[in-house]
Amino acid sequence: MSLPPLLQHLRLPVIGAPMFIAGNPRLVIEQCKARIVGSFPALNARPKEALDQWLTEIEQALAAHPGSAPYAVNQIIHKSNDRLEHDLEVCVRHKVPIIITSLRAPHEIVPRVHAYGGLVLHDVISVRHAEKALEAGVDGLILVCAGAGGHAGTLSPFALVGEVRRFYDGLVVLAGAIATGDAILAAQAAGADLAYIGTRFLATPEASVPDRYKEEILRSTAADIVYTDLFSGVHGNYLRHSIIAAGFDPANLPRSDPSKMNFGSGSGAEKKVWRDIWSAGQGVGQIDRILPAAEVVERLAAEYAAARRRLQIN
């Protein structure tokens, strides 16, 4: 499809995925200056009053660098997120270019974002979720497939993209172990418009995670990723060694109680998920260095160009 005007001048067809804890203004600014979409979860700004400051910092920095890509903010649409109304009001006031919604179809969100000309992209893991999001009027679907970091589905990207494309010809973003320029091109070949990359940007100086987390990314492979719903109530991918360090046996994890899912403003201190039990996607085995975000984009661009040449794509 033809990309929305807001996304037509990216250096690479990439959105930097919002990452709990890790995402912050510094990372977003560097991603956008490198001309990919940068993003962060609204809940990362703590206390909630910090969100206004974060958005102002990002806007001022990007205004000083004409040609930068737009930025996005992720909103968790779940009943336990007691910050949602506050955070959305701040984003509407700032006219955030792209809102990424997760966990529930954003029926109430879409009209408020469209009113100022913003885009709404929604995370989905199945055809049913995709259909519900489209009924809500979203501008694009983010297909979160097997191998993606954080909350992820189980479907192969080839399967989900293929089925979604049978009934939807709009904007599709693909997530699932995309860590190289080759994989970006593969996402496009499969039918996606953009790739969604998170884990690769954990191994950057800008990411707000401990150095030992970044080092664990470098020494892990796909076999070290554990898929479980125990820690947040939603299935996601986590690093095996961080699960062990937190006192759990990765081979014998109990099921969670979905009714106890909590994305409220007070949940971060009590729960170890994201802070101590570290998320990552199956693309970790292709990450071998900690590099500044701008250099990551540079490397992805070189790999992407090389893959196109290899396939003799003009």
Side-chain angles (χ1 to χ4, degrees):
M1 68 160 287
S2 176
L3 291 173
L6 194 62
L7 298 171
Q8 288 181 358
H9 302 290
L10 302 178
R11 180 179 184 186
L12 283 170
V14 169
I15 294 176
M19 298 182 288
F20 281 113
I21 307 298
N24 63 75
R26 183 180 172 210
L27 177 58
V28 170
I29 289 165
E30 291 305 309
Q31 290 173 323
C32 293
K33 284 167 56 180
R35 292 173 50 211
I36 68 168
V37 176
S39 71
F40 70 93
L43 290 171
N44 280 12
R46 293 180 182 269
K48 65 182 181 182
E49 290 75 18
L51 181 59
D52 180 72
Q53 299 166 12
W54 280 29
L55 297 181
T56 298
E57 180 181 349
I58 291 169
E59 291 161 357
Q60 291 177 346
L62 298 185
H65 289 84
S68 295
Y71 72 96
V73 175
N74 175 222
Q75 300 284 2
I76 300 296
I77 315 298
H78 188 267
K79 61 184 180 182
S80 69
N81 181 8
D82 56 5
R83 281 184 44 171
L84 179 59
E85 181 55 37
H86 168 273
D87 290 351
L88 184 60
E89 187 278 325
V90 174
C91 287
V92 169
R93 179 156 38 87
H94 279 265
K95 299 183 178 179
V96 170
I98 303 168
I99 298 293
I100 296 171
T101 52
S102 306
L103 293 186
R104 186 170 62 82
H107 292 275
E108 302 86 358
I109 309 299
V110 170
R112 296 173 67 177
V113 176
H114 283 177
Y116 66 80
L119 299 179
V120 179
L121 309 181
H122 188 66
D123 287 345
V124 304
I125 63 171
S126 70
V127 166
R128 181 174 65 87
H129 291 153
E131 291 171 340
K132 288 180 175 295
L134 293 175
E135 289 171 4
V138 301
D139 301 288
L141 301 172
I142 300 171
L143 311 187
V144 188
C145 297
H151 296 143
T154 58
L155 292 177
S156 160
F158 298 110
L160 189 53
V161 170
E163 291 193 23
V164 167
R165 280 301 189 207
R166 293 178 70 125
F167 61 86
Y168 177 61
D169 62 0
L171 178 64
V172 166
V173 186
L174 183 62
I178 299 175
T180 66
D182 308 62
I184 296 170
L185 186 58
Q188 290 184 300
D193 300 291
L194 303 172
Y196 207 49
I197 301 180
T199 301
R200 185 62 191 86
F201 289 99
L202 285 171
T204 63
E206 293 90 351
S208 301
V209 297
D211 288 343
R212 64 185 188 280
Y213 188 168
K214 299 175 186 181
E215 291 161 4
E216 188 64 31
I217 292 287
L218 300 187
R219 73 186 185 101
S220 295
T221 66
D224 295 308
I225 302 302
V226 177
Y227 186 69
T228 178
D229 66 354
L230 175 62
F231 305 115
S232 72
V234 181
H235 272 95
N237 285 311
Y238 303 91
L239 288 166
R240 179 181 304 276
H241 291 98
S242 71
I243 293 173
I244 294 171
F248 296 93
D249 178 1
N252 293 286
L253 294 175
R255 293 294 302 273
S256 76
D257 179 354
S259 68
K260 295 182 179 178
M261 277 199 310
N262 187 355
F263 294 92
S265 59
S267 65
E270 293 84 2
K271 290 194 173 186
K272 291 186 176 182
V273 65
W274 315 118
R275 186 192 65 192
D276 301 313
I277 299 170
W278 300 329
S279 176
Q282 292 177 1
V284 287
Q286 301 169 76
I287 302 170
D288 56 11
R289 293 177 62 191
I290 295 174
L291 295 172
E295 289 189 35
V296 171
V297 176
E298 192 71 33
R299 177 178 284 197
L300 290 171
E303 293 167 348
Y304 181 76
R308 291 175 64 90
R309 289 194 299 271
R310 206 162 51 242
L311 297 177
Q312 299 182 337
I313 299 173
N314 294 328

